[in-house]
Amino acid sequence: MISRYVSLLAVRAAARGALRLIRLAIGAALIVAAAPVSLVAAGSATAAWLRGWPPGRLYRAAAYCAPMVIAWLVATALATRSWRSVATAPYLAWLAMWHHAAAGSYPAAAAVIAPAAIPLGLLAGGLAWSYRIRSMETGSGGLSPGSAVTFDLRQWRHQVRSARALIAAPGSLPLTTQNGHVVAGAVIRTIGHQGDRIAAIPYPRMRSHQVVVGTTGTGKTTLLLRLWAGFMATALRRHAAGAGRPPLLVVLDCKGGADARRIADRARRVLRAAGARSTAIWPDEASLSLWTLPPRQLTTTLLDLIEHGTGAAAYYADVMEAVVALAVEAPCGPPASAADFLARLDPGWLTLAYSSGGYDSDLALVRSAARQFGDIALRYRTLFRRLGSGLDGPGGFADADAWYCILEGTAEISVAEGQARALVDLLASYATGQPDGSGQAREILLAVDEFSAVSRRLPIWQLYERARSLGLAVQVSAQSWQGLAADDDERYRIAASADGGIWLLRTPHPEPVTGLAGTRKLVDTTRRLLGVPLWAHQGTSRIREAPVADPALIRSLDVGQVAYIYRGGVTFIQVKRLIGGPAALAGPTGATAARESRRAHGQPAVARPADGRASTVPPAPGGSAPAWVTHGDASAVSAAHDRSGAVPPDPPPRPGPPTPAASVPAASGQRNPLPDVSELLDEAFGAEAGP
Amino acid sequence: MIRAEGTAAPPAGGGNLAGRDIAGLLFTAEMYGVQVDQLAAVLGVSESRARAIAARWRRQRHAESARLGPGPPWIWLTRAGLAGCGLPYAPAPPALSRLAHIRAVAAVRLALESASGYHAAGAYWRSERRLRARVGGRVGLRAHLPDGEVHWPDGAPVAWAGECWAIEAELTRKTVGRTTAIMQELLSRTGDYGCPAADVLVPGRPPRHARVLYLCSAAARPTVARAREALGGAAARIEIRALPPGAAMEPAVRPAAGRTARQPGTTR
C-alpha cells in the first residue's frame, strides 16, 4: 500500500514536471516564432527598467508608431489593390522575415517586419513591465518578500538618474512652458499625479498659497528662486498678452545676515533673467515709506509697532492711541516722515494744529494727555532709531517688479518683528487701495521665509487670511514643520490652506506634512516560507492603506530633490538649478558708493518726482537709474536663466512709460567681476549647502 | 617593503594599446599613481575590468601595482611605461605619506573632468608632477606648487575662457597664516613654473592664476575659509568647495580592533 502511494506521488511529480517542461517549451517556441516582437519587447522592457520609466511611456511609444503602421498598410493596399492582402499583411511580413533570415539577409528581414514588430513589441514590453511592477507592488513577485523593497529602491535610483540626465541636457527644461506653466524640474516619480517627464506647475497654483519645508542645504533656495522666476516670467507674459495684471513679488527673508544678502543678489540676477525690470533690496538699497499708509491704517500700524503692557498699562496704551491718532489725523494732513511725526508729539504743535476751530474735543484731549507726551515721543524716537531709515521712505511697492526685504530676525528679533508688521501693513494697503502708475492692480506673490521668527506681533495665520481676502498669494517656507508657526493649530491651519501645494524637501520629521497627502490603497501579499531562503508564491492578499508620500523616502531625499504634494498625490522632482547672469550693477558696495556720491553732492538719497508720488529713483547728477534697480534689457534676458541651453521665454514688452533713463556714469571703483563659475563647480562637486 | 601583486611579470611585450589604455596610462603617470577604483572611473569601466586592464599593463611592463595602503591596489607607471608615454618623470611608486593626498587630487580631477563645461571648453589639467618636473630641483624651501592647474583655452565657449586656475586639495588643517601665505603666493604669481626667477612676480603683469579653487575636507574648511577672509579684496578669486565623494581613502585597519572601520556613507 505504501509503495503504491509512493509510486503515485512519483508519477504525479513526473507528470507535473513534464507539464511544466511542455509549458516552457511552448513559451520558448512562441518567443522564438515571434522573435522580432520578442526582441523589441525585451529591449523596451529593459530600457524601461534601466530608466525607471512607467509602462505608460511604452504604450505611448507604441501609439506613436501608429502613423508608421498606417502608412505601411496603405502602401500595401495601394500595391496589391486588395483588402485581403492588407489583413494578412502582418502574417505575410512575418513569413517574408523568416525567408530573408534563412537566406542570411538580416537587414532585409528586419525592414520587412519592423512596421508590425515595433508597435507590437512596445505594447508587449509595456504589458510585461506593467506586470512586473504590479507583482512587485503587491509583494507577490521576486524570489523573496524583500525583493519588492530592493526593486523599489533600485527603480528609485534609476528614476533619479534619468531625471538628473534630463536636467543636465541642454535646453531640456525651459523656465516656463508654452501654455504658461512654471517648470520646476524633472519628474523622478509620481504617485496619484499624471506622470510626465517635466514637472510643470500651472500658473493658477502660483497664485494660491503654498508651503515649502526643507532643512538647510537641501536645495530650498534653489527651488524658491526657480518658483519666483517662473512666477515672474509667466505673469509678465500674461500681462503682455493682456491676460493678467503686472506681477509683484515681495520676499520677506526673516533670517537676515550675510546669507540673506547673497541670496538677494542671486534672486535679483535670476529675476532679471526672467524679465523683471527692477528688483529692490530692502533696506540695504531701497526704502519704503510707512507714511504713505492711509491715516487710520497708519495710526494702527504705529501703535502695533510699540509693545504694550496689560492690566494697568492698558491705560497708557489708550492714551498713546489717542495721542498718535491726534498726530496722524491732524487737520493739516498726515505726517510725511518720522521726523515730522515726532515733531507732532508735542502739545504745542497739536494745540496749534487743532485750533482752527471745530476741534474742541480734540483740544481737550491734548490738554488732558499733555503730561504723557514726553514719554510717548521718547518711545517713538527709540523705535524709529532702531527701525532705521528703511521705512522712512520715500518709496513704495509700485516702484519695482520685485522686492527682496531682509529682516534681521536672527540678530535683532524685536526690530525685525516691527519691520515685518510694517511691511505687511504696507503691502496690504498697496494691494487694497494703491493702484500702480498705469492704474492697474498687481498680481502679488508674497514669499516669506522663516516668518515664524518674526510673527509674534502678526500671527502667520492672520497673514494668510488677510492675504486671502486681498487676493495675494502667500508662499511660506520654513526649515521644518515646527518652523512654520508657533503651535500645531497654526501649522495645520497654514498647511491645510495651501491650495497651491506643499513643497517638501528633506526634513527629519516629515510625518505631519506627508499625512496631509493622505493614503492610498495597496495590495499586500503574504508568502509562505518553504525554508530559508525559499518562499512559495502562494499566500493571501489584503488591501492596506499606505501613505501617498512615504516619510522614509522624504528623509532620504538628496539635495535638489523635492516632493510636491497636491490634492492627495505627490510628484518627486529633481529641481533644475537656475543661474542668473552676472550682476549688471554692483551689489551693496556699489550702492553704498552711489549713496556716498549722492551725499557728497548734497542730494537726498531718494527724491520725489514732480508728480509728488514717491519714487526710489534717485536724482543722481543728470538723472541716473537707482543703484538697486537692475533694468532687464534684451541682452540680459537673452543671457538666459539657464546656462545649460534652455531658452527662456521671450521678454514680454512692458506696457507703460519707461523708467527714467540712466545717463550718469557708474560709481567709480566698480571692478569687472570674475565670471560666475558656480554652475560648473556645482556640476563637478555638488551644490553648496545653502542657508 | 612593497610587494607587487600577482606573480612575476612575463617578458615585456608591446601589445596593442587602445585609446582608452593610453588615456589611462597618461592619467596614471600625471597623478603619480591611482587606485583601481579611480582607474575604473578614468577608463569608464567596472572595477573588475579595470583590474584586468591593470594586469595587462603589468604583463606589458607598462605599470606596476601593489596594495600600498588601505583600499584598492595602487597602479603606477614603470620606467618603460613613462618612456612609452614620453614623460620624463622619475619612476617610483606613490609615496606612502602622500597616498591620501594623491587620491584626493585624482578625485578632484575626475570630478572636474566629469563636468560638461570642462569637455565643452576643451580644458586641460596640468598636474603637480608636470609642474614639479618643469621646476626641477629649483623648488625653494617655502615655495609652493599647486596640486594642479586647469587651463581654459581662449575662445572656449565658457565665460572664463583664457583663465588659468590653481587647484588645491586640502585634507588636513594648516595654520591660517600658512594657508593665507599660499593663497597670496598663488594669486600674485605672474610667471609659469620653471620660468626665470625675475618673471615669477612682476608688478603690472596679470596674475597667472585668475582664481584658486580649494577643495577641502570638513576638517580643513574652516581654516581655508578664515584664510580667505584674511585676504580682503582678493578673496573673490578664491573658490572653496567640498572634496568630491570618494576623495577620502578608506581608513586603515587597526589590528587590535580586528574589524575594518568604514567611513559613513562609503560603499565598497
Side-chain angles (χ1 to χ4, degrees), chain B residues 30-49:
Chain B
E30 293 288 356
M31 307 312 293
Y32 294 105
V34 292
Q35 280 183 291
V36 166
D37 59 331
Q38 290 185 327
L39 180 65
V42 173
L43 300 174
V45 298
S46 66
E47 201 170 317
S48 56
R49 177 76 187 126

Side-chain angles (χ1 to χ4, degrees), chain A residues 192-250:
Chain A
H193 286 170
Q194 191 177 355
D196 204 347
R197 296 176 69 207
I198 292 176
I201 311 299
Y203 178 72
R205 285 190 217 165
M206 297 300 298
R207 295 282 300 121
S208 305
H209 294 347
Q210 293 189 336
V211 168
V212 182
V213 178
T215 319
T216 301
T218 53
K220 184 156 60 84
T221 304
T222 301
L223 170 69
L224 290 173
L225 286 174
R226 178 136 202 133
L227 293 178
W228 297 341
F231 162 77
M232 185 60 70
T234 309
L236 287 172
R237 179 188 284 181
R238 282 164 52 85
H239 175 53
R245 294 167 294 171
L248 171 63
L249 170 69
V250 179

